[in-house]
Structure formats: structure tokens, C-alpha cells
Amino acid sequence: MSTVEQPRNLASQGVVVASMTLLSRITGLVRDVFFAYLFGASHYADMFLVAFRIPNVFRRMFAEGAFNQAFVPVMMRYKAEGQAALLGFLAPLSGIFTAILFLIVLLGVVFAEQLTALFALGFSDQQISATAQLLVLTFPYLGLISLTAYAGALLNAHDRFAIPAVTPVLLNIVLIGATLIALMGYSEAQAVKILAYGVLVAGFVQLVFQMPALGRLGLLVRPTLEWSHPGLARIGKLLLPALFASSVSQINALVNTILASTLITGSISWLYYADRLLELPVGLVAIALGTVMLPHLSRLADEDDQETVHKTVGWGINIGIMLGLPAAVALYLLSEGLIATLYMSIGGGAMTNFDVRMAGFALEMFAIALPGFVLIRVLSTAFYAYEDTKSPFHYATVAVAANLLVSLATFSWAGHVGLAWATAISAWVNVVLLYRGLQRRRIYQLDGDLWRLLWRSLLASIVLGAALFLLLGDVDWLALTPDTRAWQILLTCAVGAVGHALVLLVLGVRPSDLNHYSVVGH
């Protein structure tokens, strides 16, 4: 059935994913507020964050990144052939994927101390040993959440976006519960182990949550180890380049963690708290766009509908810029206020004024990267839809090199802020290379209509930034009482969002510009 005969409203699906992701990010912020109250930016916080980040980085690189980019386009072909062909493909894939994950988890647990030493070069021997004990508990989460991501990709391919998008909420709920238990009179050394156990429990909960939905679709198959299936060979060919290409931000995060471990205590935590606020708009915009675009673009590429591919990519860029730019402006200008409101006004506890300022400086740099992260997700999805993982791989290599060079050149004198700055530069290098690659392949090029929308979005964001600067330029967020600070942040965000929307309307941008139907001509 052609795309015209079967129109798909990406905007409505994106709203579903964004809504569920918003719930996930809100509960994640609540989780971090509790965490900040319990540990602040202490060495216990740094230890847990290293033990938590290692499996999460590998999960994002492999399961949610490379595997999905290689798996979804191939799976869509078998899905088009019918349920029998799809199940025949999923049975060996499920078995081999599970076996590989088991081996990886086993190696991670056995070599936990070596992994910790690699990713926390600045830790003392005692810190490495204590963190490795935590990693033994948290690393199996990699296997569990990778299977969860695999199940989520299957559901997304069948237009069941809500359940995979809401699943991360369960991690946050479990960790909030673990933090509440840890606050019941336990020492910090005991509390950090309770949180590590919470990560493991959350992995089981998230995986089990996906199973009923897969069962209703008839997608629960008996795993096999049939290596000869042709679909596996195709995934294997696409996987290695995708592994690196989709993992730029995670590799950069690891570089930041390694270098930050050599800086003063708290550097890892400051970057983490800033990154958590960055992930809210990234999740709402970039992840939502990438999630709904990949299966649709894969169908269009398979049908050789280049015109609709071009318009769909343009739609993604338009949405990404229209939402990502004002979010970046707000994060930059409200960085200290947001950090103080979330981690002091609400969290209180161990977070100090100095910690807020340091995390705020990092968030300013991350804000510069925000639109870049959104565009990376949109542009790279177009390559993956055509089963091209090599081009993004080459561009990612350059972006990682840029991050490493800037990080090494700045971290000794700019500290953790230099590391965050390097992340921003790396993101925009990747954007430029991805766009030029799409141009050369004649998959996408900006046209006049989209240029006009982008200039209007840019102008509206400049007006927003100027208004926030004039209104809040002299505000000392740390001098305000917690209640006043919280209300001022909420009011500023609400007025800013409404004002930005009104400016867009005055400039001629209409709600129909957000609708996929209007873009692809359905």
C-alpha cells in the first residue's frame, strides 16, 4: 500500500512519545532532587554516578542507539512480508541478542574494577574498589534494559509508541523508592548500595512491563540460535558503523567523566546535574522525533518515495528548531535559577551555593549544544532509513575527535566547563557534516519554505532571549528564598512559553506547520 493511500500523522505520534517522555523526565528530575538531597556533590555521589553511568552509556550506545538503527530498517522489510516472515526473523535475533548480552554482562561483572579504573582515572584506589562493588550490582542493568529497548523497538514498529515511551518512568519510581529507604537512617556508604540494588530491580521491572504488549501483538517468540538467517547478516553489516555513529554523545560523556574524575571533587556531579536538565528538552524533542521518524522513513525508503522522505526530514528539522531553539535560550539564561530551584529549593540537603554555580556554568554550555543534539537525531535518522550507517560513522569520528581535542585543550584551565563546551562544539560539527552528507546523497536539502520557517523560529528565539535578559539580568537566584525562587522560575517559564508562541504567530507561523499532513501533502 502506498504512502499516499495510508497517511500517517507523525505529529500526533510525536505528541504521544513526547507526553510520555515528559512524564519520564519529570519523574527523573524528582529522582535527582532526592539524590541531591541525599548526596549533594560528594564523593559518594561521584562514585554512584560512575557506577550508574557505565551501564547506561553502553545501553545508549548499543541497545537504544546502534542496535535500533541497524535493526529497525531491516525489521520493517520482514514486517512488510507478513507475520510469518517477521517471526522467523525475530526468533534467531532474540536468541542471539540475549546470548550476546549475557556474555557482555558477565564480562562487565568480572572486570568491574578494571572498568571503573578506566572510566574514573582520577579516583583513588579506595574509591575505585568501592565503586567497582557498586558496578557489580548496576552492570546487569545493561542486559535487562537492552532487552527492554529491543522490545520497545518492536512495539514502535507496530505504532505502539506509548508503552516504550513511558517505561523509563518505572526506573525513576524504583530509584525514588530506593532513595526514600536510604533516607531512613542509613549511612552514606549503605545508602549508595541501596541505590545500586534499586537500579538492578528497576531493570527487571521495566522488562516485565513490556511483555504483555508484545504478547497481545503475537510477537513473543521462542528464541533460537540460528546464525544462518540472512536478516542477521544484514544487521551485522550495519551494526558496527551504527554503534559508533549513534554513540557520539555517550562517548563524549565518557570522555567528560574520565577527565572530570581528575578534577576537584564534585566535577562529575556538576556535569551530571546539568546534563539531567539538558535531557528534558532533548527527550521531549529529539528522542520523540527520532522514535517516530525512523520506522516511517524506513517504509518510505523501501518504497523509494524520495519526495516524501525529503518533506518528512524537512518536517523533523522544522519541529526540532522551532522547539529546540527557545528551549536552549531558556536553559542558558535560567541555568543557575533552574539548578537552584530543583536541587536546592526543593532538594535542599547537601547541595551548596557553590555546587549550584558550578552546575549552572556547565548547563550554559550544554544549552548551546541542545539544538545540535536535536538536529543530529533528525538528520542521522534519514541515513539509517536507507540502511547507511557508514556515513554517520565517518562524521561521528570527526565529531568525537573535535570533542577530545577541545576537552584536552580546555579542562586543565576551564575545568568541567571546558568539558561541557567541548560537547557543544562536537554536536555542531556533527550537524554540519550530517547535513552536507544528505546534500551530497540528494536525500535532503533546505528549500525556501523551510528557510522562511527557520528564520522566523530564530527571530522568535532572539526576542525571547532579549526579553529574559532584560527581565532577569539582575536577579540573584541564590539570594532568593526557596519559595520565591520556585515561583519566579515557574512564572518566567510560563510567560516565556506563551510569549514565544505569540511572537511565532505574529511572524506568520501557524499550528498547521507542526502537522505532518501539511508537510507531506496528505
Side-chain angles (χ1 to χ4, degrees):
M1 182 177 293
S2 72
T3 305
V4 174
E5 293 169 338
Q6 188 180 4
R8 304 176 180 98
N9 192 338
L10 295 189
S12 62
Q13 294 174 344
V15 168
V16 170
V17 176
S19 299
M20 297 299 100
T21 304
L22 176 61
L23 179 60
S24 170
R25 293 299 189 259
I26 290 173
T27 55
L29 287 174
V30 173
R31 177 195 81 193
D32 291 336
V33 166
F34 278 91
F35 182 81
Y37 182 88
L38 184 61
F39 293 114
S42 66
H43 71 279
Y44 281 107
D46 286 353
M47 285 165 47
F48 174 77
L49 293 176
V50 169
F52 188 40
R53 170 158 283 175
I54 291 173
N56 268 290
V57 165
F58 282 115
R59 179 257 301 179
R60 291 182 178 181
M61 287 171 59
F62 184 63
E64 293 182 1
F67 183 77
N68 274 1
Q69 313 301 352
F71 163 60
V72 172
V74 177
M75 177 185 62
M76 296 307 296
R77 290 191 175 188
Y78 286 101
K79 182 174 180 289
E81 295 176 10
Q83 187 78 351
L86 177 61
L87 296 181
F89 165 64
L90 294 179
L93 179 63
S94 300
I96 291 169
F97 187 43
T98 302
I100 292 173
L101 286 173
F102 179 81
L103 179 61
I104 292 173
V105 168
L106 181 62
L107 290 173
V109 169
V110 171
F111 295 104
E113 192 155 329
Q114 289 80 1
L115 271 176
T116 304
L118 176 63
F119 294 128
L121 293 176
F123 277 14
S124 66
D125 291 343
Q126 183 179 2
Q127 282 180 301
I128 289 174
S129 178
T131 305
Q133 293 177 31
L134 299 178
L135 185 58
V136 168
L137 298 175
T138 60
F139 201 81
Y141 177 75
L142 168 62
L144 296 167
I145 199 60
S146 295
L147 290 174
T148 302
Y150 169 54
L154 283 172
L155 293 173
N156 288 337
H158 289 77
D159 294 333
R160 305 295 194 276
F161 294 101
I163 291 177
V166 79
T167 297
V169 173
L170 301 176
L171 167 68
N172 299 326
I173 291 173
V174 171
L175 289 185
I176 289 170
T179 307
L180 290 173
I181 294 172
L183 286 168
M184 296 179 179
Y186 291 95
S187 67
E188 286 188 313
Q190 293 171 321
V192 79
K193 285 189 176 181
I194 291 171
L195 288 185
Y197 277 112
V199 172
L200 184 59
V201 171
F204 281 105
V205 172
Q206 288 174 290
L207 179 59
V208 171
F209 180 70
Q210 303 268 24
M211 295 299 104
L214 288 178
R216 287 191 294 271
L217 291 170
L219 297 175
L220 289 177
V221 297
R222 178 177 296 179
T224 68
L225 296 176
E226 183 190 344
W227 289 87
S228 60
H229 193 285
L232 300 181
R234 185 60 186 163
I235 289 178
K237 182 179 179 181
L238 298 173
L239 186 60
L240 285 180
L243 176 62
F244 191 82
S246 63
S247 306
V248 173
S249 62
Q250 304 312 312
I251 294 171
N252 290 345
L254 278 179
V255 170
N256 286 352
T257 300
I258 293 170
L259 295 179
S261 71
T262 68
L263 301 173
I264 63 174
T265 297
S267 295
I268 294 174
S269 300
W270 299 329
L271 288 170
Y272 173 81
Y273 292 134
D275 182 66
R276 290 298 299 165
L277 277 173
L278 173 68
E279 286 192 8
L280 177 58
V282 168
L284 291 178
V285 184
I287 293 177
L289 286 173
T291 298
V292 301
M293 285 178 66
L294 181 57
H296 289 281
L297 283 175
S298 298
R299 293 187 187 103
L300 294 170
D302 195 42
E303 296 167 1
D304 197 26
D305 188 350
Q306 294 184 349
E307 180 182 357
T308 311
V309 166
H310 181 279
K311 292 178 179 178
T312 302
V313 174
W315 171 83
I317 294 173
N318 177 34
I319 298 295
I321 292 296
M322 194 177 295
L323 300 178
L325 270 180
V329 170
L331 279 185
Y332 188 94
L333 294 175
L334 299 174
S335 57
E336 188 173 290
L338 288 167
I339 295 286
T341 299
L342 287 170
Y343 299 123
M344 286 189 71
S345 294
I346 301 173
M351 201 75 170
T352 66
N353 286 2
F354 181 70
D355 293 331
V356 169
R357 291 192 182 96
M358 294 300 101
F361 291 148
L363 184 56
E364 289 178 353
M365 297 299 102
F366 283 151
I368 297 172
L370 170 56
F373 286 141
V374 174
L375 291 176
I376 288 170
R377 194 69 179 241
V378 172
L379 298 174
S380 61
T381 299
F383 285 100
Y384 298 134
Y386 282 93
E387 298 187 16
D388 178 3
T389 58
K390 290 184 179 179
S391 297
F393 163 73
H394 294 145
Y395 308 146
T397 303
V398 178
V400 168
N403 177 76
L404 183 60
L405 289 174
V406 177
S407 294
L408 292 174
T410 60
F411 88 104
S412 60
W413 56 271
H416 71 291
V417 179
L419 301 178
W421 184 37
T423 298
I425 291 175
S426 172
W428 284 105
V429 167
N430 205 357
V431 169
V432 171
L433 294 175
L434 285 167
Y435 176 69
R436 290 183 61 188
L438 290 177
Q439 276 186 312
R440 284 195 296 269
R441 286 202 54 180
R442 297 184 179 179
I443 296 174
Y444 182 76
Q445 181 167 339
L446 288 171
D447 55 30
D449 289 340
L450 189 57
W451 270 119
R452 284 188 287 273
L453 283 171
L454 293 181
W455 278 113
R456 290 167 184 171
S457 297
L458 178 61
L459 181 57
S461 296
I462 291 173
V463 172
L464 172 65
L468 290 177
F469 181 78
L470 292 173
L471 290 172
L472 303 172
D474 296 329
V475 173
D476 184 353
W477 293 102
L478 294 175
L480 300 176
T481 63
D483 289 345
T484 302
R485 186 162 53 217
W487 279 112
Q488 186 151 346
I489 280 288
L490 288 173
L491 183 61
T492 301
C493 290
V495 172
V498 173
H500 181 261
L502 290 175
V503 172
L504 285 174
L505 287 173
V506 170
L507 293 174
V509 178
R510 296 294 178 261
S512 61
D513 294 319
L514 303 176
N515 194 320
H516 182 240
Y517 288 126
S518 67
V519 176
V520 300
H522 293 155

